[in-house]
PDB file of all heavy atoms in Angstrom:
ATOM      1  N   LEU A  25      11.983   1.245   1.888  1.00 98.00           N
ATOM      2  CA  LEU A  25      11.867   2.288   2.906  1.00 98.00           C
ATOM      3  C   LEU A  25      12.434   1.832   4.248  1.00 98.00           C
ATOM      4  O   LEU A  25      13.028   2.632   4.985  1.00 98.00           O
ATOM      5  CB  LEU A  25      10.411   2.727   3.066  1.00 98.00           C
ATOM      6  CG  LEU A  25       9.724   3.231   1.792  1.00 98.00           C
ATOM      7  CD1 LEU A  25       8.310   3.703   2.100  1.00 98.00           C
ATOM      8  CD2 LEU A  25      10.526   4.339   1.120  1.00 98.00           C
ATOM      9  N   TYR A  26      12.273   0.563   4.566  1.00 98.00           N
ATOM     10  CA  TYR A  26      12.837   0.031   5.804  1.00 98.00           C
ATOM     11  C   TYR A  26      14.357   0.109   5.805  1.00 98.00           C
ATOM     12  O   TYR A  26      14.972   0.188   6.870  1.00 98.00           O
ATOM     13  CB  TYR A  26      12.395  -1.420   6.037  1.00 98.00           C
ATOM     14  CG  TYR A  26      11.026  -1.567   6.653  1.00 98.00           C
ATOM     15  CD1 TYR A  26       9.939  -1.979   5.883  1.00 98.00           C
ATOM     16  CD2 TYR A  26      10.819  -1.319   8.006  1.00 98.00           C
ATOM     17  CE1 TYR A  26       8.682  -2.135   6.450  1.00 98.00           C
ATOM     18  CE2 TYR A  26       9.560  -1.476   8.580  1.00 98.00           C
ATOM     19  CZ  TYR A  26       8.493  -1.880   7.794  1.00 98.00           C
ATOM     20  OH  TYR A  26       7.248  -2.033   8.358  1.00 98.00           O
ATOM     21  N   GLU A  27      14.971   0.106   4.633  1.00 97.00           N
ATOM     22  CA  GLU A  27      16.425   0.174   4.535  1.00 97.00           C
ATOM     23  C   GLU A  27      16.966   1.582   4.762  1.00 97.00           C
ATOM     24  O   GLU A  27      18.160   1.762   4.955  1.00 97.00           O
ATOM     25  CB  GLU A  27      16.875  -0.316   3.152  1.00 97.00           C
ATOM     26  CG  GLU A  27      16.588  -1.774   2.913  1.00 97.00           C
ATOM     27  CD  GLU A  27      16.898  -2.194   1.481  1.00 97.00           C
ATOM     28  OE1 GLU A  27      17.469  -1.394   0.712  1.00 97.00           O
ATOM     29  OE2 GLU A  27      16.547  -3.333   1.130  1.00 97.00           O
ATOM     30  N   ASP A  28      16.100   2.580   4.754  1.00 97.00           N
ATOM     31  CA  ASP A  28      16.504   3.982   4.865  1.00 97.00           C
ATOM     32  C   ASP A  28      16.093   4.533   6.227  1.00 97.00           C
ATOM     33  O   ASP A  28      14.905   4.555   6.566  1.00 97.00           O
ATOM     34  CB  ASP A  28      15.826   4.780   3.740  1.00 97.00           C
ATOM     35  CG  ASP A  28      16.332   6.195   3.625  1.00 97.00           C
ATOM     36  OD1 ASP A  28      16.799   6.765   4.632  1.00 97.00           O
ATOM     37  OD2 ASP A  28      16.240   6.754   2.512  1.00 97.00           O
ATOM     38  N   ASP A  29      17.067   4.989   7.019  1.00 96.00           N
ATOM     39  CA  ASP A  29      16.790   5.496   8.360  1.00 96.00           C
ATOM     40  C   ASP A  29      15.903   6.735   8.368  1.00 96.00           C
ATOM     41  O   ASP A  29      15.364   7.103   9.411  1.00 96.00           O
ATOM     42  CB  ASP A  29      18.103   5.809   9.097  1.00 96.00           C
ATOM     43  CG  ASP A  29      18.879   4.555   9.443  1.00 96.00           C
ATOM     44  OD1 ASP A  29      18.262   3.476   9.518  1.00 96.00           O
ATOM     45  OD2 ASP A  29      20.108   4.660   9.639  1.00 96.00           O
ATOM     46  N   TYR A  30      15.739   7.386   7.234  1.00 97.00           N
ATOM     47  CA  TYR A  30      14.878   8.565   7.156  1.00 97.00           C
ATOM     48  C   TYR A  30      13.422   8.210   7.451  1.00 97.00           C
ATOM     49  O   TYR A  30      12.658   9.030   7.946  1.00 97.00           O
ATOM     50  CB  TYR A  30      14.998   9.198   5.761  1.00 97.00           C
ATOM     51  CG  TYR A  30      14.116  10.410   5.556  1.00 97.00           C
ATOM     52  CD1 TYR A  30      14.374  11.599   6.224  1.00 97.00           C
ATOM     53  CD2 TYR A  30      13.020  10.350   4.701  1.00 97.00           C
ATOM     54  CE1 TYR A  30      13.552  12.710   6.047  1.00 97.00           C
ATOM     55  CE2 TYR A  30      12.196  11.452   4.512  1.00 97.00           C
ATOM     56  CZ  TYR A  30      12.478  12.630   5.186  1.00 97.00           C
ATOM     57  OH  TYR A  30      11.668  13.722   5.011  1.00 97.00           O
ATOM     58  N   PHE A  31      13.061   6.981   7.156  1.00 97.00           N
ATOM     59  CA  PHE A  31      11.691   6.525   7.363  1.00 97.00           C
ATOM     60  C   PHE A  31      11.639   5.693   8.644  1.00 97.00           C
ATOM     61  O   PHE A  31      12.248   4.624   8.717  1.00 97.00           O
ATOM     62  CB  PHE A  31      11.207   5.695   6.171  1.00 97.00           C
ATOM     63  CG  PHE A  31      11.297   6.440   4.870  1.00 97.00           C
ATOM     64  CD1 PHE A  31      12.310   6.177   3.972  1.00 97.00           C
ATOM     65  CD2 PHE A  31      10.383   7.431   4.564  1.00 97.00           C
ATOM     66  CE1 PHE A  31      12.406   6.878   2.779  1.00 97.00           C
ATOM     67  CE2 PHE A  31      10.462   8.147   3.378  1.00 97.00           C
ATOM     68  CZ  PHE A  31      11.471   7.861   2.488  1.00 97.00           C
ATOM     69  N   PRO A  32      10.926   6.167   9.655  1.00 97.00           N
ATOM     70  CA  PRO A  32      10.892   5.459  10.949  1.00 97.00           C
ATOM     71  C   PRO A  32      10.131   4.129  10.860  1.00 97.00           C
ATOM     72  O   PRO A  32       9.026   4.070  10.318  1.00 97.00           O
ATOM     73  CB  PRO A  32      10.181   6.438  11.882  1.00 97.00           C
ATOM     74  CG  PRO A  32       9.431   7.364  10.976  1.00 97.00           C
ATOM     75  CD  PRO A  32      10.161   7.400   9.677  1.00 97.00           C
ATOM     76  N   ASP A  33      10.755   3.099  11.389  1.00 98.00           N
ATOM     77  CA  ASP A  33      10.179   1.757  11.313  1.00 98.00           C
ATOM     78  C   ASP A  33       8.786   1.681  11.927  1.00 98.00           C
ATOM     79  O   ASP A  33       7.910   1.002  11.388  1.00 98.00           O
ATOM     80  CB  ASP A  33      11.087   0.733  12.001  1.00 98.00           C
ATOM     81  CG  ASP A  33      12.321   0.384  11.182  1.00 98.00           C
ATOM     82  OD1 ASP A  33      12.462   0.891  10.047  1.00 98.00           O
ATOM     83  OD2 ASP A  33      13.146  -0.404  11.685  1.00 98.00           O
ATOM     84  N   HIS A  34       8.561   2.378  13.044  1.00 97.00           N
ATOM     85  CA  HIS A  34       7.254   2.266  13.701  1.00 97.00           C
ATOM     86  C   HIS A  34       6.137   2.833  12.830  1.00 97.00           C
ATOM     87  O   HIS A  34       5.007   2.344  12.885  1.00 97.00           O
ATOM     88  CB  HIS A  34       7.272   2.926  15.087  1.00 97.00           C
ATOM     89  CG  HIS A  34       7.307   4.413  15.078  1.00 97.00           C
ATOM     90  ND1 HIS A  34       8.461   5.141  14.867  1.00 97.00           N
ATOM     91  CD2 HIS A  34       6.311   5.318  15.239  1.00 97.00           C
ATOM     92  CE1 HIS A  34       8.177   6.430  14.918  1.00 97.00           C
ATOM     93  NE2 HIS A  34       6.875   6.577  15.140  1.00 97.00           N
ATOM     94  N   VAL A  35       6.452   3.806  11.985  1.00 98.00           N
ATOM     95  CA  VAL A  35       5.446   4.341  11.065  1.00 98.00           C
ATOM     96  C   VAL A  35       5.322   3.420   9.844  1.00 98.00           C
ATOM     97  O   VAL A  35       4.220   3.157   9.370  1.00 98.00           O
ATOM     98  CB  VAL A  35       5.777   5.788  10.645  1.00 98.00           C
ATOM     99  CG1 VAL A  35       4.703   6.337   9.715  1.00 98.00           C
ATOM    100  CG2 VAL A  35       5.920   6.694  11.874  1.00 98.00           C
ATOM    101  N   LEU A  36       6.444   2.902   9.374  1.00 98.00           N
ATOM    102  CA  LEU A  36       6.402   1.956   8.264  1.00 98.00           C
ATOM    103  C   LEU A  36       5.620   0.697   8.642  1.00 98.00           C
ATOM    104  O   LEU A  36       4.907   0.138   7.803  1.00 98.00           O
ATOM    105  CB  LEU A  36       7.815   1.580   7.817  1.00 98.00           C
ATOM    106  CG  LEU A  36       8.633   2.701   7.181  1.00 98.00           C
ATOM    107  CD1 LEU A  36      10.050   2.213   6.883  1.00 98.00           C
ATOM    108  CD2 LEU A  36       7.962   3.232   5.923  1.00 98.00           C
ATOM    109  N   ASP A  37       5.745   0.279   9.891  1.00 98.00           N
ATOM    110  CA  ASP A  37       4.987  -0.875  10.352  1.00 98.00           C
ATOM    111  C   ASP A  37       3.484  -0.629  10.201  1.00 98.00           C
ATOM    112  O   ASP A  37       2.732  -1.532   9.825  1.00 98.00           O
ATOM    113  CB  ASP A  37       5.306  -1.200  11.813  1.00 98.00           C
ATOM    114  CG  ASP A  37       6.720  -1.737  12.004  1.00 98.00           C
ATOM    115  OD1 ASP A  37       7.379  -2.122  11.012  1.00 98.00           O
ATOM    116  OD2 ASP A  37       7.178  -1.763  13.170  1.00 98.00           O
ATOM    117  N   LYS A  38       3.055   0.588  10.466  1.00 98.00           N
ATOM    118  CA  LYS A  38       1.641   0.929  10.293  1.00 98.00           C
ATOM    119  C   LYS A  38       1.263   0.904   8.811  1.00 98.00           C
ATOM    120  O   LYS A  38       0.171   0.485   8.454  1.00 98.00           O
ATOM    121  CB  LYS A  38       1.338   2.291  10.912  1.00 98.00           C
ATOM    122  CG  LYS A  38       1.427   2.263  12.422  1.00 98.00           C
ATOM    123  CD  LYS A  38       1.138   3.625  13.022  1.00 98.00           C
ATOM    124  CE  LYS A  38       1.251   3.553  14.543  1.00 98.00           C
ATOM    125  NZ  LYS A  38       0.872   4.820  15.184  1.00 98.00           N
ATOM    126  N   GLY A  39       2.172   1.364   7.948  1.00 98.00           N
ATOM    127  CA  GLY A  39       1.937   1.307   6.508  1.00 98.00           C
ATOM    128  C   GLY A  39       1.840  -0.127   6.024  1.00 98.00           C
ATOM    129  O   GLY A  39       0.963  -0.466   5.223  1.00 98.00           O
ATOM    130  N   THR A  40       2.715  -0.973   6.517  1.00 98.00           N
ATOM    131  CA  THR A  40       2.671  -2.389   6.167  1.00 98.00           C
ATOM    132  C   THR A  40       1.352  -3.003   6.625  1.00 98.00           C
ATOM    133  O   THR A  40       0.740  -3.805   5.896  1.00 98.00           O
ATOM    134  CB  THR A  40       3.870  -3.135   6.794  1.00 98.00           C
ATOM    135  OG1 THR A  40       5.078  -2.614   6.215  1.00 98.00           O
ATOM    136  CG2 THR A  40       3.797  -4.624   6.550  1.00 98.00           C
TER     137      THR A  40
END
Side-chain angles (χ1 to χ4, degrees):
L25 303 183
Y26 278 105
E27 294 173 8
D28 189 333
D29 291 337
Y30 178 69
F31 303 103
D33 285 357
H34 72 280
V35 181
L36 293 176
D37 291 346
K38 291 179 181 185
T40 296

